[in-house]
């Protein structure tokens, strides 16, 4: 709008016209003429109208924005429901940076000019000051911000946090706090993916994804787009204690809309055994020093444990682990697969394999006290593991995950993000060499704080290493790789195969979100000089396999890996004029200009799925197997060899092309797409490995590992 000229004059005249008309009409009704005083008032109003009504209030205007009449004057809310909301903190650099000089198709972060040292390998740029917390206050670099968060954590009377439960259930908390359930809402990949799906479906997907990942948050009616920095502490805990132990109804397969029974710590909880042992503890207040009276001294304790048998049945897991979209699309089918499996027929439950002594196999249960109250253990009983290992792994700063009572009470999440683990803060080597004027952020200026932070971080890394061991355990109890079989070793002809077997009888492998789980064979053949003559299962510069979703394959810069063995399922969508094509996300954007998630016009039971999209499963059925076959091109063979064949069965939680598909939304914690992708690839595990040596026309030697 022009500041001076015709447009502005018209606005002034129009805005003054109603008052002028009113004054003239009033004068006519009074049978008088407009006097000098009335004309003066009109002139004053015209002069006052010199401020454009569609502009922002001037600095001297004391009228609060909420009290103004013009709706365009009101500021945008801080926590906007904009579908393209950036999930990173406001002070971080633009995540959508330009590609690097290496022409890497994944975006790389811009240099952080304010970082006092090398930026953490995983985390946001180090800010110059501590940003406001959820309450709008700052911690000024001290532990006061963390104390406020900690106090809020324990003061909740609607949804008690897991850190509250940890007081009397330390073993369960230790297991759960490094689990997939605890990571469910903290995952920056999940948070960005569900926001990206909402953006691609005009918001009609709503809270469908996040209501399983953060049941407490959805019970609190939090925005589905808000950063984890600003969520309620219990909401950030994902599938937390009360998600299972404050459920009093058997909901069945409803894709995760759970009504959690509200109440403070004193309110009843729900478990498989009832309250016989609790009543014994309550009857011995001198031993356990507990109190069920909110106004009396003593250790707070819940007043009742109601028996809720569905908690130990597979159907309870099916509430969130069988996901069917509102249009009938079957996204995840872990429970449906189990329901038809040999394990189900034999009476083996989900809990038997995933809450027992060993992850992924029915191995019996530990025994011990369910609680340790004031240092006094309760009676020995069957104990279920709460680790829930799976393919995912943390890509967060170690100060944030695993969940840690001490870490949360010591610093806020934003303050932990500024702790430069990679630079060695809190180690003698760094501290002795750091100059006196080293520009530490306010929260970490104290050398004692840095040393204390280092102790916490090192303890967290040990817990993460243990979590990787349990993750590898569950994967190795799901898949096995047989020995390499040489099918031809004639001069100028080398071909071989290997069989991958699903050794569990409970469900397919992979299962659950199988369209984003990579379980593939990485195969290398080298000649006598050590030169590689054949590759399959290798990566492009982004970290993707050379499949149809590789940006480099799509651009024609690398060849398609036609021998790739990968158990990742694929999403297929139907095109408007017929045919199908693969997509990274199951959002059929080819159907119209407004891609809403709509119920199907015809019953999906007729087709078993919506007609616009489907999933092409590549998984292996329970106790099933699949054989991968390879042939080295004759022109790559140089002489009789010997040729060394290496084959590795690997597992990766998500493909890098998923990062590319959702990166426009931005990632929480100020992480760049490059950081996220590198961390995903770094977490790839080798489930099994086989090697053999072949001499063309001679004897073969297999080495089994």
């Amino acid at each position: 709008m022009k500041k001076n000229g015709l447009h502005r004059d018209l606005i002034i005249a129009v805005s003054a016209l109603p008052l002028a008309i009113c004054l003239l009409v009033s004068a006519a009704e009074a049978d008088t003429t407009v006097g000098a005083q009335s004309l003066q008032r009109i002139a004053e109003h015209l002069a006052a109208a010199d401020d454009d009504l569609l502009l922002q209030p001037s600095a001297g205007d004391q009228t609060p924005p909420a009290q103004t009449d013009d709706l365009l004057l009101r500021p945008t809310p801080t926590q906007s429901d904009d579908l393209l909301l950036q999930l990173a903190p406001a002070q971080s650099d633009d995540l959508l940076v330009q590609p690097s000089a290496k022409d890497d198709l994944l975006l790389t972060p811009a240099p952080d000019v304010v970082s006092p040292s090398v930026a953490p390998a995983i985390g946001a740029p180090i800010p110059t000051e501590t940003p406001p917390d959820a309450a709008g206050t700052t911690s000024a670099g001290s532990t006061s911000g963390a104390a406020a968060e900690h106090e809020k954590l324990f003061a909740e009377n609607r949804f008690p946090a897991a850190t509250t439960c940890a007081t009397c259930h330390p073993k369960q908390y230790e297991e759960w706090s490094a689990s997939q359930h605890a990571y469910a809402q903290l995952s920056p990949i999940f948070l960005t993916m569900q926001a990206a799906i909402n953006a691609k479906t005009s918001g009609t997907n709503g809270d469908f994804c996040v209501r399983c990942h953060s049941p407490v948050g959805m019970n609190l009616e939090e925005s589905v787009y808000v950063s984890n920095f600003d969520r309620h502490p219990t909401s950030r805990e994902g599938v937390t204690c009360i998600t299972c132990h404050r459920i009093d109804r058997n909901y069945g397969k409803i894709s995760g809309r759970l009504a959690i029974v509200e109440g403070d710590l004193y309110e009843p909880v729900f478990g498989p055994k009832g309250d016989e042992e609790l009543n014994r503890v309550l009857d011995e207040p001198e031993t356990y020093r507990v109190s069920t009276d909110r106004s009396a001294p003593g250790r707070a304790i819940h007043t009742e444990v109601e028996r809720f048998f569905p908690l130990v049945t597979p159907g309870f897991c099916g509430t969130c682990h069988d996901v069917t979209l509102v249009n009938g699309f079957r996204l995840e089918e872990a429970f449906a697969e189990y329901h038809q499996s040999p394990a189900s027929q034999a009476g083996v439950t989900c809990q038997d394999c995933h809450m027992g002594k060993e992850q992924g196999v029915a191995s019996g249960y530990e025994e011990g006290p369910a609680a340790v109250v004031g240092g006094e253990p309760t009676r020995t009983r069957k104990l279920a593991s709460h680790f829930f290992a799976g393919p995912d792994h943390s890509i967060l700063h170690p100060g944030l995950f695993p969940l840690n009572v001490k870490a949360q009470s010591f610093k806020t999440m934003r303050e932990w993000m500024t702790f430069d683990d990679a630079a060695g803060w809190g180690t003698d080597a760094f501290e002795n060499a750091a100059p006196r004027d080293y520009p530490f952020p306010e929260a970490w200026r104290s050398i004692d704080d840095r040393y204390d932070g280092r102790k916490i971080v090192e303890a967290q890394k040990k817990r993460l290493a243990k979590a990787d061991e349990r993750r590898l355990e569950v994967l190795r109890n799901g898949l096995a790789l047989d020995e390499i079989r040489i099918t031809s070793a004639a001069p100028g002809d080398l071909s071989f195969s290997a069989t991958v077997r699903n050794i569990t009888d409970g469900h397919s492998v992979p299962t659950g979100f199988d369209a984003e789980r990579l379980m593939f064979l990485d195969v290398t053949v080298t000649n006598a000089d050590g030169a590689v003559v054949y590759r399959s299962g290798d990566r492009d510069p982004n970290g993707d396999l050379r499949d149809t979703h590789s940006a480099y394959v799509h651009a024609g810069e690398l060849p398609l890996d036609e021998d790739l063995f990968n158990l990742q399922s694929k999403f297929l969508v139907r095109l408007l004029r017929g045919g199908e094509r693969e997509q990274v996300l199951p959002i059929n954007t080819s159907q119209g200009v407004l891609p809403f998630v709509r119920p199907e016009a015809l019953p999906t039971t007729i087709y078993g799925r919506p007609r616009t999209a489907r999933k092409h499963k590549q998984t292996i059925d329970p106790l099933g197997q699949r054989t991968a076959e390879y042939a080295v091109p004759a022109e790559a063979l140089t002489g009789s060899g010997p040729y060394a064949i290496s084959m590795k069965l690997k597992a990766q939680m998500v493909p890098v092309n998923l990062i590319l598909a959702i990166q426009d939304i931005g990632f929480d914690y100020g992480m760049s797409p490059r950081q996220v992708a590198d961390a995903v690839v770094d977490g790839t595990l080798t489930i099994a490995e086989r090697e053999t040596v072949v001499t063309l026309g001679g004897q073969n030697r297999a080495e089994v590992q």
Side-chain angles (χ1 to χ4, degrees):
M1 183 176 292
K2 297 181 179 180
K3 189 65 179 175
N4 296 297
L6 180 59
H7 290 183
R8 185 167 175 273
D9 292 340
L10 284 174
I11 292 174
I12 294 172
V14 171
S15 61
L17 187 58
L19 178 60
I21 292 174
C22 291
L23 291 173
L24 291 172
V25 171
S26 298
E29 290 177 349
D31 196 24
T32 61
T33 59
V34 180
Q37 185 176 3
S38 298
L39 292 174
Q40 178 64 27
R41 290 171 61 190
I42 294 174
E44 291 175 354
H45 183 76
L46 289 172
D50 189 59
D51 289 330
D52 192 342
L53 295 180
L54 294 181
L55 297 178
Q56 293 292 338
S58 63
D61 188 0
Q62 300 301 317
T63 304
Q67 298 177 5
T68 60
D69 292 331
D70 194 338
L71 295 178
L72 296 179
L73 295 180
R74 299 183 183 177
T76 303
T78 301
Q79 294 181 357
S80 170
D81 283 341
D82 188 345
L83 295 179
L84 297 179
L85 176 67
Q86 292 290 338
L87 300 180
Q91 77 277 6
S92 66
D93 293 334
D94 188 2
L95 297 180
L96 303 179
V97 295
Q98 295 298 318
S100 69
K102 297 180 180 179
D103 195 26
D104 192 342
L105 297 181
L106 255 184
L107 302 182
T108 53
D112 179 17
V113 296
V114 298
S115 293
S117 65
V118 178
I122 302 297
I126 299 176
T128 55
E129 60 181 359
T130 305
D133 60 17
T137 59
T138 60
S139 62
S142 67
T143 59
S144 60
E149 289 271 324
H150 197 58
E151 182 179 355
K152 181 169 58 176
L153 203 69
F154 281 88
E156 289 303 320
N157 56 14
R158 293 179 61 195
F159 301 106
T163 47
T164 304
C165 305
T167 304
C168 294
H169 300 281
K171 181 181 186 299
Q172 291 85 346
Y173 178 85
E174 180 75 11
E175 293 168 344
W176 166 86
S177 62
S179 72
Q180 308 283 277
H181 279 175
Y183 187 66
Q185 175 56 33
L186 289 171
S187 167
I189 297 175
F190 160 72
L191 200 61
T192 297
M193 185 170 68
Q194 70 93 24
I197 291 173
N198 263 326
K200 294 178 184 295
T201 60
S202 304
T204 53
N205 198 60
D207 70 344
F208 187 86
C209 300
V210 72
R211 72 193 191 204
C212 268
H213 286 248
S214 181
V216 172
M218 295 305 98
N219 275 259
L220 289 170
E221 299 183 352
E222 289 180 338
S223 168
V224 299
Y225 307 108
V226 70
S227 165
N228 277 321
F229 285 133
D230 301 316
R231 290 191 181 277
H232 188 279
T234 312
S235 170
R236 290 195 296 257
E237 292 178 347
V239 185
T240 186
C241 306
I242 60 173
T243 301
C244 296
H245 292 283
R246 280 279 177 87
I247 298 295
D248 64 348
R249 298 179 186 178
N250 192 2
Y251 289 98
K253 298 198 303 180
I254 59 171
S255 297
R257 187 170 294 286
L258 304 176
I260 299 173
V261 178
E262 297 187 18
D264 61 13
L265 181 62
Y266 295 94
E267 295 296 326
V269 295
F270 301 88
K273 295 288 188 180
D275 57 7
E276 179 181 350
E277 179 63 5
L278 173 65
N279 290 332
R280 187 188 70 80
V281 170
L282 295 177
D283 289 339
E284 301 181 23
E286 297 83 5
T287 301
Y288 294 99
R289 298 180 182 180
V290 294
S291 173
T292 58
D293 186 350
R294 293 174 177 82
S295 60
R299 184 173 288 103
I301 191 172
H302 35 75
T303 57
E304 186 179 356
V305 178
E306 295 187 19
R307 189 173 186 271
F308 184 61
F309 183 74
L311 189 65
V312 298
T313 64
F316 189 82
C317 306
T319 301
C320 279
H321 289 280
D322 227 49
V323 182
T324 302
L325 304 182
V326 295
N327 62 352
F329 188 91
R330 299 173 70 175
L331 183 66
E332 298 185 30
E333 301 174 282
F335 177 73
E337 292 171 358
Y338 160 79
H339 195 58
Q340 303 174 55
S341 71
S344 176
Q345 301 304 314
V348 179
T349 67
C350 306
Q351 290 86 343
D352 290 338
C353 287
H354 294 283
M355 299 186 73
K357 294 179 181 178
E358 187 176 347
Q359 294 290 301
V361 62
S363 54
Y365 295 86
E366 294 182 22
E367 291 191 351
V372 179
V373 186
E376 292 292 331
T378 57
R379 287 175 176 170
T380 297
R381 50 159 281 184
K382 178 179 110 174
L383 287 182
S385 169
H386 288 72
F387 196 90
F388 303 109
D392 284 340
H393 62 92
S394 174
I395 62 173
L396 300 180
H397 189 290
L400 302 184
F401 193 85
L403 297 178
N404 186 321
V405 176
K406 183 180 292 186
Q408 293 179 33
S409 62
F410 184 55
K411 298 291 181 181
T412 67
M413 292 181 71
R414 285 189 171 95
E415 289 171 339
W416 272 116
M417 290 299 298
T418 66
F419 183 86
D420 199 338
D421 174 38
W425 290 6
T427 63
D428 290 340
F430 174 86
E431 300 297 342
N432 292 337
R436 296 179 61 87
D437 59 347
Y438 193 95
F440 292 104
E442 186 70 25
W444 299 102
R445 287 186 179 177
S446 167
I447 190 173
D448 292 335
D449 279 2
R450 296 196 297 276
Y451 271 103
D452 289 342
R454 172 57 55 185
K455 290 179 182 178
I456 292 174
V457 165
E458 292 305 318
Q460 292 283 79
K461 289 181 178 179
K462 291 180 180 178
R463 297 179 65 200
L464 289 170
K466 185 180 294 186
D468 279 344
E469 293 175 3
R470 306 305 297 273
R471 186 162 62 99
L472 188 57
E473 180 179 82
V474 74
L475 291 170
R476 286 180 171 170
N477 282 327
L479 286 178
L481 176 63
D482 289 349
E483 294 184 22
I484 300 171
R485 296 187 299 274
I486 305 301
T487 55
S488 177
D493 184 12
L494 174 58
S495 59
F496 54 95
S497 65
T499 297
V500 177
R501 294 184 293 113
N502 177 355
I503 57 176
T504 179
D505 61 354
H507 51 70
S508 300
V509 176
T511 190
F513 200 23
D514 51 31
E516 301 295 353
R517 302 299 190 199
L518 272 66
M519 295 183 183
F520 62 98
L521 287 175
D522 184 355
V523 181
T524 304
V525 179
T526 56
N527 62 18
D529 297 327
V532 175
V533 297
Y534 177 84
R535 284 290 274 130
S536 177
D538 55 317
R539 302 175 184 273
D540 67 16
N542 278 345
D544 267 321
L545 301 177
R546 290 186 289 113
D547 60 9
T548 55
H549 291 304
S550 163
Y552 282 85
V553 171
H554 198 67
E557 297 185 25
L558 289 175
L560 178 69
D561 186 351
E562 296 183 356
D563 294 336
L564 177 64
F565 180 92
N566 185 9
L567 299 180
Q568 177 192 4
S569 297
K570 301 292 185 181
F571 291 128
L572 296 175
V573 298
R574 178 175 295 181
L575 304 180
L576 192 59
R577 290 182 171 84
E580 292 181 320
R581 66 182 174 92
E582 289 185 12
Q583 283 191 177
V584 176
L585 294 175
I587 308 300
N588 195 340
T589 57
S590 66
Q591 291 296 307
V593 294
L594 293 177
F596 297 142
V597 177
R598 302 178 178 90
E600 283 287 294
L602 297 175
T604 55
T605 52
I606 297 177
Y607 301 96
R609 58 177 177 84
R611 291 172 298 163
T612 56
R614 67 183 179 92
K615 185 169 64 173
H616 181 60
K617 298 195 74 170
Q618 301 280 5
T619 60
I620 302 178
D621 293 335
L623 302 179
Q625 64 183 36
R626 187 171 302 161
T627 299
E629 298 180 347
Y630 303 91
V632 180
E635 61 271 18
L637 300 173
T638 55
S640 60
Y643 294 95
I645 303 174
S646 171
M647 187 176 294
K648 299 178 181 179
L649 177 59
K650 295 184 175 181
Q652 183 175 312
M653 63 177 180
V654 296
V656 172
N657 54 63
L658 175 64
I659 311 303
L660 284 166
I662 64 178
Q663 66 178 351
D664 289 349
I665 298 298
F667 291 92
D668 208 1
Y669 315 100
M671 297 181 71
S672 73
R674 181 77 267 170
Q675 287 175 310
V676 173
D678 288 346
V680 166
V681 173
D682 288 344
T684 302
L685 293 179
T686 298
I687 302 174
E689 183 174 359
R690 301 290 182 179
E691 292 182 351
T692 190
V693 178
V694 180
T695 300
L696 302 186
Q699 297 295 320
N700 304 327
R701 182 174 71 256
E703 298 176 358
V704 181
Q705 293 188 353

